[in-house]
């Protein structure tokens, strides 16, 4: 039986629609997860586990998130599917602020993060296949749910993961665009790879918070990010509700 977890990013610290059954704070061999695991029901009888990636309240920067503790912890709860929601910057023309994309590829520009569960001397040398980093079945489910919900989304896109916490330079975004990135975020990796190492199906919902650096005149402001995320996350909540209803 499948068990779904939702990881909420910036702008989604809580899932308002979740009828909370219990909250559990756990520790793992890799340390403490970002927040307590919130177990609840999303508009039907099917349980969902929610985790706030940046803590609740939002206080953990992308490069400081204990991705291993988060993913390991979800595995301990029997999670088989993760939908990871993340705020992103829009690089290519379709990725306008407040838009939603379901990426199908990743380029990882992050560094220095604990990015594997296979690093002890006694661990076998393991190379997971990561050709297609996201679960195709989960992505199809999300795309179908978006159609049912009447939401216009981008069904593909390449997510570039930067280290942060600063935003990028205009030249970095130009290079990322030449590399083939449509979206830029700071938390997609190593999260996706760690889920794959543990055999958990994983898909991402990118919510565009702003045009990436150099794509518009002027500075990127927090006020603009918050305003776009307000709209984008409300649509994401609709998408998750329909996804979960259809998963029954
Ligand atoms: N860059 C990286 N991460 C982001 C951005 C951005 O422009 N916006 C939201 N998350």
């Amino acid at each position: 039986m499948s068990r779904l977890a939702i990881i909420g990013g910036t702008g989604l610290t809580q899932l308002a629609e979740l009828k909370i059954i219990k909250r559990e704070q756990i520790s793992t061999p890799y340390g403490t997860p970002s927040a307590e695991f919130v177990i609840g029901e999303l508009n039907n009888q099917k349980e969902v586990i929610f985790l706030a990636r940046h803590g609740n309240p939002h206080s953990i920067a992308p490069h400081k998130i204990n991705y291993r503790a988060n993913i390991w912890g979800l595995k301990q709860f029997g999670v088989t599917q993760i939908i990871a929601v993340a705020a992103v910057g829009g690089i290519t023309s379709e990725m306008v602020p407040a838009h939603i994309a379901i990426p199908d590829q990743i380029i990882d520009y992050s560094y220095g993060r604990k990015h594997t569960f296979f690093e002890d001397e006694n661990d076998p040398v393991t190379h997971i296949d990561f050709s297609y980093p996201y679960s195709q079945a989960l992505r199809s489910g999300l795309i179908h749910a978006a159609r049912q919900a009447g939401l216009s989304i981008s069904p593909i896109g390449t997510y570039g993961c930067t280290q942060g916490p600063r935003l990028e330079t205009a030249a970095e975004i130009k290079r990322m665009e030449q590399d083939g990135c449509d979206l830029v975020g700071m938390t997609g990796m190593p999260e996706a790879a760690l889920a794959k190492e543990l055999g958990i199906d994983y898909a991402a919902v990118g919510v565009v918070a702003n045009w990436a650096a150099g794509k518009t005149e002027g500075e990127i402001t927090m006020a603009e990010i918050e305003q776009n995320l307000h709209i984008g996350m409300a649509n994401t909540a609709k998408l998750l509700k329909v996804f979960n209803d259809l998963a029954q």
Side-chain angles (χ1 to χ4, degrees):
M1 217 187 82
S2 64
R3 193 157 162 78
L4 177 69
I6 294 166
I7 300 181
T10 301
L12 196 73
T13 299
Q14 291 171 23
L15 254 191
E17 290 74 12
L18 198 67
K19 199 171 114 210
I20 296 170
I21 298 168
K22 61 181 168 181
R23 297 169 186 272
E24 286 200 33
Q25 183 79 57
I26 63 159
S27 63
T28 78
Y30 301 96
T32 310
S34 295
E36 55 196 6
F37 291 82
V38 182
I39 299 150
E41 284 172 5
L42 202 58
N43 300 74
N44 59 20
Q45 300 306 305
K46 201 169 175 211
E47 258 185 33
V48 168
I49 300 185
F50 180 81
L51 176 66
R53 184 188 285 114
H54 296 275
N56 184 12
H58 185 294
S59 58
I60 310 170
H63 63 296
K64 292 209 162 155
I65 291 167
N66 191 336
Y67 294 96
R68 293 197 302 182
N70 289 351
I71 299 298
W72 186 270
L74 290 174
K75 182 79 178 177
Q76 302 320 294
F77 276 90
V79 164
T80 58
Q81 300 180 321
I82 295 174
I83 295 178
V85 181
V88 292
I91 300 179
T92 46
S93 58
E94 209 174 291
M95 304 300 168
V96 299
H99 187 61
I100 291 175
I102 313 294
D104 62 328
Q105 275 297 333
I106 298 176
I107 300 179
D108 188 9
Y109 303 88
S110 70
Y111 49 87
R113 301 181 179 187
K114 296 275 189 192
H115 64 288
T116 178
F117 290 111
F118 300 106
E119 68 169 9
D120 282 353
E121 271 169 31
N122 301 329
D123 289 336
V125 176
T126 304
H127 306 286
I128 54 155
D129 174 79
F130 205 48
S131 314
Y132 299 97
Y134 300 112
S135 154
Q136 185 52 40
L138 264 185
R139 292 186 57 258
S140 297
L142 284 165
I143 293 162
H144 179 63
R147 285 202 189 106
Q148 295 289 312
L151 294 167
S152 159
I153 60 142
S154 294
I156 52 169
T158 297
Y159 175 109
C161 185
T162 56
Q163 176 69 358
R166 66 166 176 84
L167 295 170
E168 299 70 35
T169 66
E172 284 167 339
I173 292 297
K174 198 168 164 194
R175 184 186 74 163
M176 289 178 76
E177 187 166 13
Q178 281 162 5
D179 285 353
C181 294
D182 299 291
L183 306 161
V184 55
M186 300 176 190
T187 57
M189 287 293 286
E191 198 173 82
L194 292 169
K196 193 119 198 201
E197 282 191 349
L198 295 190
I200 303 174
D201 287 344
Y202 179 100
V205 176
V207 183
V208 182
N210 54 280
W211 281 116
K215 288 287 164 187
T216 47
E217 301 284 312
E219 286 190 2
I220 300 166
T221 65
M222 281 313 289
E224 150 195 15
I225 288 182
E226 276 164 24
Q227 201 182 353
N228 293 321
L229 285 183
H230 189 69
I231 303 166
M233 290 302 171
N235 285 334
T236 300
K238 272 188 218 159
L239 171 63
L240 295 173
K241 178 192 168 305
V242 175
F243 175 89
N244 202 46
D245 285 349
L246 293 173
Q248 276 286 55

